[in-house]
Amino acid sequence: MSYTTNEIMTVAAARRLPDGSVCFVGIGLPSTAANLARLTHAPDVTLIYESGPIGARPDVLPLSIGDGELAETADTVVPTPEIFRYWLQGGRVDVGFLGTAQIDRFANLNTTVIGPYDKPKVRLPGAGGAPEIASNAREVLIIVKQTARSFVAKLDFVTSAGHLDGGDVRARLKLPGKGPVAVITDLCIMEPDPVTRELTVVSLHEGITREQVTAATGWPVRFADSLGTTPAPTDHELQVLRALQQRTALAHGTAGGGGGD
Amino acid sequence: MSYTTNEIMTVAAARRLPDGSVCFVGIGLPSTAANLARLTHAPDVTLIYESGPIGARPDVLPLSIGDGELAETADTVVPTPEIFRYWLQGGRVDVGFLGTAQIDRFANLNTTVIGPYDKPKVRLPGAGGAPEIASNAREVLIIVKQTARSFVAKLDFVTSAGHLDGGDVRARLKLPGKGPVAVITDLCIMEPDPVTRELTVVSLHEGITREQVTAATGWPVRFADSLGTTPAPTDHELQVLRALQQRTALAHGTAGGGGGD
Amino acid sequence: MTEFVTLREAVAGLIHDGDCVAMEGFTHLIPSAAGHEVIRQGRKDLYLVRMTPDLIYDQLIGSGCVSRLRFSWGGNPGVGSLHRLRDAVERGWPGPLALEEHSHADMANAYVAGAANLPFSVLRGYQGSDLPRHNTNIRFIRCPFTDEELAVSPAIRPDVTVIHAQKADRRGNVLLWGILGVQKEAAMAAKRVIVTVEEIVDSLDAPPNACILPRVVVNAVCLQPGGAFPSYAHGYYARDNRYYIAWDDIARDRETFKALMQKHVHNTADFNEFRRVLAESAGAAA
Amino acid sequence: MTEFVTLREAVAGLIHDGDCVAMEGFTHLIPSAAGHEVIRQGRKDLYLVRMTPDLIYDQLIGSGCVSRLRFSWGGNPGVGSLHRLRDAVERGWPGPLALEEHSHADMANAYVAGAANLPFSVLRGYQGSDLPRHNTNIRFIRCPFTDEELAVSPAIRPDVTVIHAQKADRRGNVLLWGILGVQKEAAMAAKRVIVTVEEIVDSLDAPPNACILPRVVVNAVCLQPGGAFPSYAHGYYARDNRYYIAWDDIARDRETFKALMQKHVHNTADFNEFRRVLAESAGAAA
């Protein structure tokens, strides 16, 4: 089956979510990918949303982070402070799944402002749960569309820590989690270099060239020596994803996703 | 109707609980008095037990602080941390109703040890909720049988602060609540002097002499100039109290009360 | 103890110019009717607090009721930007808006600290983030036992918290269920509490350990069915996703926004009338 | 993920000599069967934590399993003293017992801090009390915003928390209701969690926002009907007040206590057999 770049991005991100893990899910692309994982290879994943549902199994994608569908299908719904205190800070989240407005070469994230903080050109929604997801989850997956505007040489504002200035700075600052382990875009998959922690393209989606990735990245992007090709979505993955999005469109009049954190 | 010294103690304590107030109730005598108040002049009192029930209206007295009867008759049952954090520390408790093993002239309480802490003669159960009830409730009522062994010149251990060394020391230490406003015993009612905060007998129960109170107090106890006589329990009060204790005996095979804090 | 009053009376009596006001509801049970009533009564200089300022705060900000905002995520959930919030921050219209920006984890902790009458909250957070550089109320302390560094911020203690709930009983106890967000903590942290409800019943018939606000913490209960529109009330009505999408166009333009607020809020007596006017517009458009 | 095992297997696999163990249950749902099994397996040098050590901790202390106790109220609720606890503290029998004594408010806060993975908890407490003089783990700090003095103590982070609950589903989610005490916080604060339950069901059929421990925090579920005896399980059986009263006589004398533990615990294979032996004794006595 043929597929879009959005589809391979979502499928490639979903594949990174281990079955049996506890996943803290942001709304939008992360929620789509996490639910695709749950409906394919990871039936025993526990999806947590910051509004309170634990173990949500939505039949259609939520449009907001607090849709009733999440509450109705969850193992339990706890107050929001418990999610952040007992679950995220409590060290019980294996994977934090984040989107972002801007990202730099060390996978630091900006969701706060474009331009100076006190006189912003664009005021973005803000931090939401991201700073503590980024620091406390055992590992972080980032899913974001790749453009030179979003993959920038220098962030206007670091909302959430990736690997900061690179190297072992997270360990030195005693951040509890490993930080970003992969950035999945509509063009490629990047992983931090094991030593420098600079994002490195490890896999190109089928039909995508190095030049396209370079053009969509605001810094001189590095490619792995053993650069691979992202395995194409299987028919099953595509069928499940499309059925999910179709159910969502029927329920909401939209394919789900969008903003909200 | 004739009555016992225990009965007038309970009735006199119950009368001090204002209708409409929020009362944090210890088990035993405080619970008996608080429920008598609720069943007589204070139908709108909100009784809180540290195990979690808020607005409990038990038909029989609880034998333990966490009887099912409390949960079944309450407006809501919250986790114990919420009782201490959001209610007591939150400043939402009007009256703390305490018992004690020992008390001194400034209404400080000892429920920890008789003898030295590290080599106690008698190891008592300990603090329970009392230290923070004593400091955080807007005011504190103490109900305790009066003997020279329990009303002592010097406590072996200050578990919970009354008026400490007297005077305005509570205000200087910035304790949130006013501290003990009355001590109700089987012999009399004592209140702290407005200036020195030393406990002063303001009312003798009918038939009790100054000499009896003096003999049952381990310090040279002071009597108010305008020493009154505690109004006798009304027939209604006695009937309600006895019916409550009879229901309790039928349910538990005991009259309720006993230890537990 | 609880008074049963109209929303107009509750806002008039309990929310004053300059107050610190938290209207909470995490996507679910957002107190929209109360937000309208605050605008209708022309409150000024409010210090608003909310984890996720969305449409009602966009409306309050655009209407000039707000001088200061403590928050952690300000957007139109599922749609995108809050244009009135952005206009205030980016261009100072209709007036300057001071921001106190935190993360969700911090805000949730700060409500808990407020409910517990503590002056500050403690969290493992903000490591590597620029937020503490721009908010002097995010500080760091060391654990007296382990010497670990932890973030602290001031507890949230609103003058007034406003929430919407499913039910109240006639004594004033309030029951909510489904997505609970931080409503209970926000209410317990406040000096005064207003609750709008879908219905008032003889008995809550609540299951064991349900989320109940006892009447002694509730100052006013206002019957306002549909009062969370366009958000939802679990068990009563669904979220109106189209309204959230439509808001994007309305809020984008100052004049469109002002005209709509005039028609839907200032020219209506209450939320019920707003709903009627809205339904008529929709009918006319169809 | 949750394993469904016998209590014997759970204790053998998850509780080790020297562990910090919290068995919680505030009068309600006390994990008595688990306490017996720890004694039966002869664990040593345990660091026990519990707000209200009562009969099960009296038994564990008297059986020589415990070297250290963190607590806030140690008594036989509704009856009086714990004689085995007193004997250990007053006369060092069967061995010395180190006490770390706090107040209820502090213990509850310290469990919350543990569940939240914070190293310490903060409270308004202990003003004027002698407890901080005898417990160097009660300290004071100043608020970085208001300069108020507040008490702090180390978070409780048990190696193992053991609770009793009404139900588990076949996936391992656990439901409890009624008086909740600090069980949820104690479980969330622990490295490992054992839950004994009255029954295992296909579906919890839990009401919204019920107190549920999700399976990912539960290591072992053990079916043990009646496992909270002589405390109670709301909806299943009542408290056996006579047993609490009888315990006062049993525990008062070392030999009586030892003989009873031999007969009821060491000579029985499990809690079901203990209940049978106990019923026979009662029958014989009647």
Side-chain angles (χ1 to χ4, degrees):
Chain A
M1 283 166 75
S2 68
Y3 54 87
T4 66
T5 53
N6 268 349
E7 285 174 332
I8 191 167
M9 170 169 66
T10 304
V11 167
R15 287 173 181 160
R16 307 291 293 227
L17 191 58
D19 195 18
S21 63
V22 175
C23 177
F24 197 117
V25 191
I27 208 68
L29 293 172
S31 175
T32 308
N35 278 290
L36 176 61
R38 181 179 60 80
L39 294 168
T40 53
H41 70 279
D44 264 339
V45 71
T46 299
L47 302 187
I48 296 185
Y49 288 80
E50 64 196 18
S51 58
I54 296 173
R57 287 178 286 274
D59 188 51
V60 302
L61 291 169
L63 186 63
S64 84
I65 198 78
D67 275 17
E69 173 84 2
L70 296 173
E72 278 160 8
T73 63
D75 288 328
T76 182
V77 180
V78 301
T80 292
E82 265 189 46
I83 292 286
F84 284 104
R85 289 158 61 85
Y86 295 177
W87 286 82
L88 181 59
Q89 186 172 275
R92 296 190 178 273
V93 171
D94 298 309
V95 181
F97 219 138
L98 292 174
T100 188
Q102 285 189 331
I103 185 170
D104 70 13
R105 73 176 69 195
F106 293 113
N108 302 299
L109 309 180
N110 174 19
T111 55
T112 302
V113 284
I114 308 294
Y117 183 80
D118 291 321
K119 195 71 193 158
K121 205 169 129 233
V122 180
R123 175 63 231 196
L124 299 167
E132 284 76 24
I133 297 172
S135 56
N136 289 314
R138 284 207 183 79
E139 53 182 54
V140 173
L141 295 173
I142 296 162
I143 179 167
V144 56
K145 290 200 195 183
Q146 191 161 4
T147 70
R149 276 181 61 199
S150 55
F151 282 63
V152 297
K154 184 160 171 36
L155 296 180
D156 290 315
F157 191 99
V158 177
T159 311
S160 306
H163 296 286
L164 294 162
D165 299 325
D168 64 350
V169 61
R170 282 185 72 100
R172 279 189 280 116
L173 289 179
K174 299 202 173 100
L175 271 69
K178 270 195 281 189
V181 295
V183 178
I184 299 101
T185 82
D186 51 341
L187 304 180
C188 66
I189 300 173
M190 298 177 175
E191 292 179 4
D193 178 90
V195 176
T196 66
R197 300 294 200 284
E198 180 174 333
L199 287 177
T200 307
V201 180
V202 295
S203 173
L204 292 173
H205 301 338
E206 214 165 75
I208 304 294
T209 64
R210 289 176 181 238
E211 290 66 32
Q212 281 175 287
V213 172
T214 300
T217 309
W219 67 84
V221 64
R222 296 167 58 94
F223 294 84
D225 295 339
S226 58
L227 184 65
T229 301
T230 313
T234 65
D235 287 357
H236 178 63
E237 285 168 331
L238 285 173
Q239 280 157 4
V240 172
L241 174 60
R242 288 170 189 175
L244 175 63
Q245 290 182 315
Q246 194 167 28
R247 286 197 300 277
T248 302
L250 275 173
H252 292 320
T254 154
D261 191 37
Chain B
M1 285 164 75
S2 68
Y3 54 87
T4 67
T5 53
N6 268 350
E7 285 174 334
I8 191 169
M9 170 170 67
T10 305
V11 167
R15 286 173 182 161
R16 306 291 294 230
L17 191 58
D19 194 20
S21 63
V22 175
C23 178
F24 196 117
V25 191
I27 207 70
L29 293 172
S31 175
T32 309
N35 278 290
L36 177 60
R38 181 179 59 79
L39 294 167
T40 53
H41 71 279
D44 263 339
V45 71
T46 298
L47 301 187
I48 297 186
Y49 288 79
E50 64 197 18
S51 58
I54 296 172
R57 287 178 287 273
D59 189 49
V60 303
L61 292 169
L63 186 63
S64 83
I65 198 78
D67 275 17
E69 172 84 4
L70 297 173
E72 278 160 8
T73 63
D75 287 329
T76 182
V77 180
V78 301
T80 292
E82 264 188 45
I83 292 286
F84 285 103
R85 289 158 60 86
Y86 294 178
W87 287 83
L88 181 59
Q89 183 172 277
R92 296 191 177 272
V93 172
D94 298 309
V95 180
F97 219 139
L98 293 173
T100 188
Q102 285 189 332
I103 184 169
D104 70 12
R105 75 176 67 193
F106 293 113
N108 301 300
L109 309 179
N110 174 19
T111 54
T112 303
V113 284
I114 309 293
Y117 183 80
D118 290 321
K119 196 70 193 155
K121 205 169 128 233
V122 182
R123 174 63 230 197
L124 299 167
E132 284 76 26
I133 296 172
S135 56
N136 288 316
R138 284 209 181 76
E139 52 182 57
V140 173
L141 295 173
I142 296 162
I143 180 166
V144 56
K145 290 198 195 184
Q146 192 161 3
T147 70
R149 276 182 60 199
S150 55
F151 282 63
V152 298
K154 182 157 173 40
L155 297 179
D156 290 316
F157 191 100
V158 177
T159 311
S160 306
H163 296 286
L164 295 162
D165 300 325
D168 63 350
V169 60
R170 282 185 71 100
R172 277 189 282 116
L173 288 178
K174 300 205 173 99
L175 271 68
K178 270 194 280 190
V181 295
V183 179
I184 298 101
T185 82
D186 50 342
L187 304 181
C188 67
I189 299 173
M190 298 176 172
E191 292 179 4
D193 178 90
V195 175
T196 66
R197 300 295 200 283
E198 179 174 332
L199 287 177
T200 306
V201 180
V202 295
S203 174
L204 292 173
H205 300 339
E206 216 165 72
I208 304 295
T209 65
R210 288 176 182 240
E211 290 67 31
Q212 282 174 285
V213 172
T214 299
T217 309
W219 68 84
V221 63
R222 297 166 58 96
F223 294 85
D225 295 339
S226 56
L227 184 65
T229 302
T230 313
T234 65
D235 287 358
H236 177 63
E237 286 167 330
L238 286 173
Q239 281 156 4
V240 171
L241 174 59
R242 289 170 188 175
L244 175 63
Q245 290 180 316
Q246 195 168 23
R247 287 197 301 276
T248 302
L250 275 172
H252 292 320
T254 154
D261 190 34
Chain C
M1 288 289 163
T2 316
E3 287 193 301
F4 291 86
V5 293
T6 63
L7 186 49
R8 186 186 302 167
E9 291 166 322
V11 169
L14 297 171
I15 304 183
H16 315 125
D17 287 356
D19 273 353
C20 175
V21 181
M23 302 188 184
E24 276 295 351
F26 210 106
T27 313
H28 179 213
L29 293 174
I30 294 173
S32 308
H36 272 197
E37 187 57 31
V38 170
I39 295 169
R40 206 175 272 121
Q41 295 193 18
R43 286 293 169 285
K44 294 287 173 207
D45 197 29
L46 296 178
Y47 170 20
L48 292 187
V49 182
R50 183 171 159 81
M51 289 181 67
T52 55
D54 64 350
L55 271 53
I56 58 168
Y57 275 32
D58 213 31
Q59 293 169 358
L60 283 155
I61 292 165
S63 301
C65 304
V66 190
S67 59
R68 196 169 155 205
L69 175 67
R70 179 170 176 171
F71 78 113
S72 41
W73 191 87
N76 182 340
V79 180
S81 284
L82 290 181
H83 299 290
R84 295 296 95 226
L85 169 61
R86 283 185 57 179
D87 204 11
V89 174
E90 295 169 13
R91 287 174 296 276
W93 191 92
L97 178 66
L99 295 187
E100 289 178 27
E101 191 161 0
H102 296 260
S103 68
H104 273 0
D106 189 5
M107 288 287 286
N109 271 287
Y111 273 122
V112 169
N117 188 26
L118 291 171
F120 67 102
S121 66
V122 183
L123 77 156
R124 294 186 188 276
Y126 292 119
Q127 301 102 321
S129 170
D130 285 342
L131 278 165
R133 296 190 199 185
H134 296 276
N135 182 345
T136 55
N137 271 337
I138 301 169
R139 300 183 191 171
F140 295 87
I141 62 167
R142 290 197 170 275
C143 171
F145 301 99
T146 65
D147 203 43
E148 288 169 275
E149 189 176 73
L150 296 145
V152 292
S153 73
I156 299 172
R157 302 300 310 262
D159 294 307
V160 192
T161 285
V162 185
I163 64 169
H164 187 74
Q166 280 106 333
K167 284 184 190 180
D169 68 20
R170 296 190 199 285
R171 301 166 67 231
N173 298 301
V174 168
L175 170 66
L176 47 166
W177 71 87
I179 303 272
L180 300 175
V182 292
Q183 281 101 306
K184 182 173 181 169
E185 289 73 19
M188 296 300 295
K191 299 191 186 78
R192 304 184 291 280
V193 174
I194 298 172
V195 186
T196 56
V197 294
E198 290 296 325
E199 55 176 336
I200 295 170
V201 295
D202 289 332
S203 165
L204 293 178
D205 293 324
N209 310 117
C211 181
I212 287 175
L213 279 179
R215 61 195 177 131
V216 292
V217 305
V218 178
N219 296 82
V221 166
C222 313
L223 179 63
Q224 183 58 67
F229 171 90
S231 87
Y232 72 105
H234 209 128
Y236 292 79
Y237 47 90
R239 192 166 184 269
D240 189 328
N241 292 319
R242 286 166 312 176
Y243 194 93
Y244 282 86
I245 294 164
W247 184 255
D248 192 68
D249 274 341
I250 294 162
R252 213 176 268 274
D253 178 75
R254 289 178 189 172
E255 296 310 315
T256 313
F257 165 78
K258 280 163 68 178
L260 192 93
M261 294 309 286
Q262 189 64 44
K263 181 177 169 194
H264 280 179
V265 182
H266 296 292
N267 293 355
T268 59
D270 58 22
F271 206 67
N272 298 337
E273 195 180 331
F274 153 67
R275 298 294 301 275
R276 277 197 300 277
V277 170
L278 183 70
E280 285 162 20
S281 313
Chain D
M1 286 290 164
T2 316
E3 286 191 303
F4 292 85
V5 293
T6 63
L7 186 48
R8 186 186 305 168
E9 293 167 320
V11 169
L14 297 171
I15 303 183
H16 315 123
D17 287 355
D19 273 353
C20 175
V21 181
M23 302 190 186
E24 277 294 351
F26 209 106
T27 313
H28 179 214
L29 293 174
I30 294 173
S32 309
H36 273 197
E37 187 57 30
V38 170
I39 295 168
R40 204 175 275 118
Q41 295 193 19
R43 285 294 168 285
K44 295 286 172 209
D45 195 29
L46 296 177
Y47 170 21
L48 291 187
V49 182
R50 182 169 159 83
M51 288 182 67
T52 56
D54 65 348
L55 271 52
I56 59 167
Y57 275 31
D58 213 30
Q59 293 169 359
L60 283 154
I61 291 165
S63 300
C65 304
V66 189
S67 58
R68 194 170 156 208
L69 176 67
R70 179 170 176 172
F71 79 112
S72 42
W73 191 87
N76 182 339
V79 180
S81 283
L82 291 181
H83 299 289
R84 294 298 95 224
L85 169 61
R86 282 185 56 180
D87 204 11
V89 174
E90 296 169 13
R91 288 174 295 277
W93 190 92
L97 179 66
L99 295 186
E100 290 178 27
E101 191 162 0
H102 296 260
S103 67
H104 273 359
D106 189 5
M107 288 287 286
N109 271 286
Y111 274 122
V112 169
N117 187 27
L118 292 171
F120 68 103
S121 66
V122 183
L123 78 156
R124 295 185 188 277
Y126 293 117
Q127 301 103 321
S129 171
D130 284 342
L131 279 164
R133 295 189 201 184
H134 296 276
N135 183 345
T136 55
N137 270 339
I138 302 170
R139 300 182 193 172
F140 295 88
I141 61 165
R142 292 199 168 274
C143 170
F145 301 100
T146 65
D147 203 42
E148 287 170 274
E149 190 176 72
L150 296 144
V152 292
S153 74
I156 300 172
R157 302 300 308 263
D159 294 307
V160 193
T161 285
V162 185
I163 64 169
H164 186 74
Q166 280 108 331
K167 284 184 190 179
D169 69 21
R170 296 192 198 286
R171 300 167 68 230
N173 298 301
V174 168
L175 171 66
L176 48 166
W177 71 87
I179 303 271
L180 300 175
V182 293
Q183 282 101 305
K184 181 172 180 169
E185 289 74 17
M188 296 300 295
K191 298 190 187 79
R192 305 185 290 279
V193 174
I194 298 173
V195 186
T196 57
V197 295
E198 289 296 325
E199 56 176 335
I200 295 170
V201 295
D202 290 333
S203 165
L204 293 178
D205 293 326
N209 310 116
C211 181
I212 287 175
L213 279 179
R215 62 193 174 129
V216 291
V217 305
V218 178
N219 296 82
V221 166
C222 313
L223 181 62
Q224 183 56 68
F229 171 91
S231 89
Y232 70 105
H234 209 129
Y236 291 78
Y237 47 90
R239 195 167 182 267
D240 189 330
N241 291 319
R242 288 165 311 174
Y243 194 92
Y244 281 86
I245 293 164
W247 184 254
D248 191 67
D249 274 340
I250 294 162
R252 213 175 269 273
D253 179 75
R254 291 178 189 170
E255 296 311 316
T256 313
F257 165 78
K258 280 163 65 179
L260 192 93
M261 294 309 287
Q262 190 63 44
K263 181 176 169 195
H264 280 179
V265 181
H266 297 292
N267 293 355
T268 59
D270 57 22
F271 204 69
N272 298 337
E273 196 181 331
F274 154 67
R275 296 295 300 276
R276 279 197 299 277
V277 170
L278 182 70
E280 285 161 21
S281 315

